[in-house]
Amino acid sequence: MQNFDYQTPTRLIFGKGVVEELPQVMSGFGKKILLTYGGGSIKKIGLYDKVKELLSGYEIYELSDIKPNPKYDPSVLDGVRMCKENEVDVILSVGGGSVLDCSKAIAAGAKYDGDPWDLISYKVKAKDALPIVDIITLAATGSEYDMGGVISRTETNDKIGYMDPLLYPVVSFLDPTYTFSVSKKQTAAGCADAMNHIMEQYFCEDSTILNDGFMEAGLKSLMINARKCLENPDDYTARAEMMLTCTYGCNGIYSLGNSYTGWPCHGMEHALSAYYDITHGEGLAIITPRWMKHILSEKTVERFVKYGVNVFGIDASLDKFEIAERAIEATYKFFESINIPMHLKDVGIDESRIDEMAKHVADNEGLENAWAPLMQKDIAEIFRASL
Ligand code: NZQ
Ligand code: ZN
């Protein structure tokens, strides 16, 4: 077991109707709020009106139209400018992971005098950030319980996971009823994203019985509940469990004490969504089984055996490589069964930029240090196998 230093300062307020507590929570931060949201889903589900009604005594500035794979320009830059011009006290993010990630970058940028990209690109370490409160409306990223925000910069094809303990939300509201309206496509993509967050922690050199059990339960919970949510979008119990399982996903709690993995599928997927603006969870679902096949070896096979037996119930008496291959096939089949497009060409990606993307990943993501190291050649092979 490895040493670790762990603290999550985020207060989670979970359940039906908890948003009623918003006025009391917001009262601790000051009167000026930057309300951030996306393309309108929060208006359709009545959450926008609810928030405005609950916070009627506040001075609210609005940054809307934050896109999936949130963009540095204009969203982060506009948000930073608004915070500075209006001396905003606190950011209230209402929406999915993209809105919250964008809000995190704004929170740090608002307290920095230079170009916010200095912070996102790790050229400068932030000294301070505005507090962030969020109402998360999509079960997927776990951004509501972690210190990361993923920001895209279109002109350089960069998609960077910007992490800093200053970016933990102070309070996250999780009301599963607000996820009833999430489309089948986004529900499935959210499930794939959260499953991959767990796999990125599971496939490593050094784990524990405790962490393996926690992660195997997380994977099973996601598969069972995603199916229920797809069949019946208003199933509160399924939406609720899926939400909490996703919330744990990126915060590190699933794998405290485990060895470094390098998060290779995320490193590769960042290039796909940076170059082609695809849905993150779909990109991950496509890459994951191909990555598994690529790294299966004498060194890695035992992890696949444990995964195959404990998550998919594959017969433990079979040959270890047979179990591993069945486990990879079961992973692929599950994603396919929830209607995720399973080829890059299905999401508009062809051969033309594969070498360029592979080089970008190799140059920027440090995957040569992953548990199963990936060089540019390996990354290109995984992309080609995913076509
Ligand atoms: O823009 P609106 O109108 O709000 O619609 C959104 C968007 O079109 C919609 N949506 C959100 N909540 C809804 C809803 N539709 C109906 N009902 C609701 N309740 O869903 C669409 C996708 O939203 P988005 O926020 O982009 O999805 P998600 O939460 O999956 O976030 C994806 C982003 O998070 C990053 C990804 O890279 C991607 O940019 N990630 C962030 C992580 C983190 N901070 O820890 C970790 C992840 O690995 C991930 O990389
Ligand atoms: Zn992810």
Side-chain angles (χ1 to χ4, degrees):
M1 205 188 211
Q2 315 288 308
N3 294 2
F4 64 83
D5 179 340
Y6 173 81
Q7 183 185 26
T8 298
T10 305
R11 175 179 167 200
L12 298 180
I13 308 183
F14 183 95
K16 216 177 275 187
V18 290
V19 170
E20 296 296 336
E21 292 178 44
L22 190 61
Q24 186 251 326
V25 163
M26 295 306 281
S27 67
F29 300 109
K31 280 282 168 212
K32 294 183 176 185
I33 298 174
L34 179 71
L35 170 64
T36 53
Y37 55 99
S41 69
I42 68 159
K43 291 191 171 166
K44 285 191 199 131
I45 61 178
L47 184 53
Y48 173 84
D49 287 341
K50 179 87 196 164
V51 166
K52 293 294 287 269
E53 179 200 316
L54 287 168
L55 299 179
S56 58
Y58 286 81
E59 208 175 307
I60 299 182
Y61 302 90
E62 294 187 23
L63 177 69
S64 61
D65 208 24
I66 296 171
K67 306 274 189 236
N69 300 319
K71 311 296 180 281
Y72 179 66
D73 187 4
S75 296
V76 175
L77 290 176
D78 283 353
V80 169
R81 185 181 40 75
M82 289 170 80
C83 288
K84 286 183 175 173
E85 279 175 11
N86 301 297
E87 297 179 328
V88 160
D89 298 308
V90 55
I91 300 179
L92 175 60
S93 162
V94 185
S98 292
V99 174
L100 182 48
D101 284 7
C102 184
S103 305
K104 289 177 175 179
I106 294 169
K111 291 282 187 177
Y112 175 64
D113 284 338
D115 183 350
W117 193 253
D118 295 345
L119 307 172
I120 296 166
S121 61
Y122 296 99
K123 208 169 104 195
V124 175
K125 162 90 180 77
K127 292 199 176 71
D128 196 5
L130 286 173
I132 303 161
V133 175
D134 69 271
I135 303 170
I136 195 81
T137 62
L138 201 162
T141 63
S143 187
E144 64 275 16
Y145 204 39
D146 74 25
M147 59 167 167
V150 189
I151 303 298
S152 295
R153 191 164 189 179
T154 314
E155 71 270 26
T156 51
N157 293 312
D158 280 311
K159 181 169 180 182
I160 297 185
Y162 170 39
M163 286 192 277
D164 190 301
L166 291 166
L167 304 183
Y168 279 108
V170 184
V171 179
S172 290
F173 287 92
L174 291 79
D175 181 338
T177 60
Y178 291 127
T179 67
F180 287 177
S181 55
V182 175
S183 65
K184 286 190 190 311
K185 174 187 164 83
Q186 291 294 340
T187 300
C191 169
D193 185 21
M195 283 180 71
N196 191 267
H197 295 158
I198 298 179
M199 292 176 194
E200 298 276 40
Q201 298 167 79
Y202 189 88
F203 289 98
C204 68
E205 184 65 37
D206 181 16
S207 186
T208 59
I209 297 166
L210 174 68
N211 289 348
D212 284 352
F214 196 18
M215 290 191 272
E216 287 154 6
L219 289 167
K220 286 191 273 196
S221 154
L222 286 166
M223 289 193 284
I224 291 166
N225 287 300
R227 275 197 207 290
K228 289 185 181 170
C229 295
L230 290 168
E231 274 159 26
N232 177 10
D234 296 355
D235 180 337
Y236 180 82
T237 309
R239 289 284 191 190
E241 186 171 335
M242 183 163 168
M243 191 170 216
L244 195 57
T245 315
C246 291
T247 296
Y248 291 147
C250 264
N251 147 300
I253 196 167
Y254 275 121
S255 60
L256 291 176
N258 279 17
S259 55
Y260 178 75
T261 70
W263 283 60
C265 293
H266 274 69
M268 289 185 279
E269 201 292 318
H270 284 166
L272 300 180
S273 29
Y275 280 71
Y276 291 93
D277 215 352
I278 64 167
T279 300
H280 173 64
E282 292 184 348
L284 288 171
I286 295 169
I287 288 177
T288 303
R290 280 71 183 219
W291 164 76
M292 289 175 157
K293 267 202 174 117
H294 191 87
I295 66 152
L296 178 59
S297 69
E298 224 18 274
K299 174 189 157 182
T300 63
V301 68
E302 292 302 342
R303 290 305 283 163
F304 284 100
V305 169
K306 192 156 193 197
Y307 168 73
V309 170
N310 291 347
V311 177
F312 290 105
I314 297 169
D315 180 354
S317 67
L318 292 169
D319 168 72
K320 59 187 180 182
F321 279 94
E322 174 73 26
I323 296 173
E325 271 157 30
R326 288 190 188 196
I328 296 170
E329 183 63 15
T331 308
Y332 183 97
K333 290 273 181 229
F334 171 73
F335 291 141
E336 194 179 43
S337 77
I338 57 169
N339 288 323
I340 295 185
M342 287 307 288
H343 293 271
L344 291 181
K345 62 176 175 352
D346 302 336
V347 293
I349 301 179
D350 62 16
E351 164 77 36
S352 60
R353 301 186 82 181
I354 281 193
D355 289 319
E356 188 188 341
M357 289 193 293
K359 179 167 173 12
H360 193 92
V361 174
D363 289 348
N364 293 294
E365 298 285 347
L367 300 187
E368 69 280 12
N369 301 315
W371 171 57
L374 299 177
M375 305 305 174
Q376 184 178 330
K377 180 176 147 298
D378 301 292
I379 297 160
E381 277 173 28
I382 293 168
F383 284 157
R384 285 208 166 80
S386 306
L387 278 170

